[in-house]
Amino acid sequence: MKAVAKDPSDLAAAQRLAAASTYYNAIMRTTCVATLLQAGHADNALPQVARATVNCRIFSGDSLEYVQRTLAEVLADPGIKLTQTRFGLESPVSPLLPEVMGAIERLSAEMWPGIAVYPVMDPWASDSVYLRRAGIPSYGVSAAFGDGNGNTHAANECLLVQSFIESDAFLYRLVKSLTSGVPADR
């Protein structure tokens, strides 16, 4: 992770990290997944039409046009029609402000000594795109440690109870830390 986070990034390290974990792969690049498939009308008849909904989580810096062009190249079939069904929004990356990152790092060190803090692109969507487009830096901070089974956003989505309790305490303390100089009436 340290080699990938350097500028310039170590591409060989990124490839090793991506191969080691689907989660790590997803936080380092744009990902597109067929999330809904529809075809046919009967068990014993060939479908006349097939449709796939593809959900793309677009990495900062990749344009919508780039993603659509890449999908068309991967499909390599001019008979397949690509249609953007939801309006995708590009937004700037929020700057890693020292006061925000410092508070996150200090609190993480207090609660989980030795845990490294890295900024990443969450592989799940965020509504902060609207704030960032309006010029308001936005950060998604999670202190929820999973069970390692990759059950996030699955039919049996789960979170360890202790992780929920710790995450709640972390976020409460982080907000207090970041807002301690703000008048209460704001």
Side-chain angles (χ1 to χ4, degrees), residues 5-83:
K6 287 181 181 176
D7 188 19
S9 183
D10 181 335
L11 296 180
Q15 288 174 340
R16 286 191 307 275
L17 196 55
S21 162
T22 55
Y23 174 75
Y24 293 147
N25 181 59
I27 64 175
M28 295 189 296
R29 62 181 45 85
T30 292
T31 58
C32 294
V33 177
T35 55
L36 183 63
L37 304 173
Q38 300 169 320
H41 66 281
D43 290 343
N44 63 343
L46 294 175
Q48 296 172 349
V49 176
R51 178 184 185 142
T53 298
V54 177
N55 181 285
C56 294
R57 307 293 171 98
I58 301 175
F59 195 75
S60 298
D62 287 349
S63 68
L64 299 172
E65 294 79 19
Y66 165 76
V67 173
Q68 189 155 4
R69 187 174 60 250
T70 301
L71 285 172
E73 289 172 9
V74 168
L75 294 170
D77 184 341
I80 297 175
K81 180 181 174 188
L82 292 173
T83 305

Side-chain angles (χ1 to χ4, degrees), residues 55-140:
N55 181 285
C56 294
R57 307 293 171 98
I58 301 175
F59 195 75
S60 298
D62 287 349
S63 68
L64 299 172
E65 294 79 19
Y66 165 76
V67 173
Q68 189 155 4
R69 187 174 60 250
T70 301
L71 285 172
E73 289 172 9
V74 168
L75 294 170
D77 184 341
I80 297 175
K81 180 181 174 188
L82 292 173
T83 305
Q84 188 173 328
T85 57
R86 286 188 8 192
F87 182 72
L89 296 174
E90 295 179 33
S91 66
V93 175
S94 294
L96 298 177
L97 301 173
E99 59 271 22
V100 174
M101 292 305 295
I104 292 168
E105 289 168 353
R106 279 190 305 280
L107 188 52
S108 296
E110 286 176 26
M111 293 183 70
W112 305 285
I115 291 291
V117 174
Y118 291 99
V120 298
M121 178 190 81
D122 285 334
W124 41 87
S126 171
D127 292 333
S128 67
V129 64
Y130 303 104
L131 295 169
R132 291 191 316 270
R133 285 175 60 89
I136 302 168
S138 301
Y139 307 91

Side-chain angles (χ1 to χ4, degrees), residues 95-181:
L96 298 177
L97 301 173
E99 59 271 22
V100 174
M101 292 305 295
I104 292 168
E105 289 168 353
R106 279 190 305 280
L107 188 52
S108 296
E110 286 176 26
M111 293 183 70
W112 305 285
I115 291 291
V117 174
Y118 291 99
V120 298
M121 178 190 81
D122 285 334
W124 41 87
S126 171
D127 292 333
S128 67
V129 64
Y130 303 104
L131 295 169
R132 291 191 316 270
R133 285 175 60 89
I136 302 168
S138 301
Y139 307 91
V141 180
S142 173
F145 294 92
D147 63 5
N149 292 324
N151 289 332
T152 303
H153 285 330
N156 60 346
E157 186 169 344
C158 63
L159 180 66
L160 300 172
V161 172
Q162 185 62 31
S163 185
F164 174 79
I165 292 167
E166 290 176 355
S167 178
D168 184 53
F170 175 86
L171 293 173
Y172 176 79
R173 289 175 63 189
L174 179 62
V175 170
K176 282 189 75 166
S177 171
L178 291 172
T179 60
S180 60

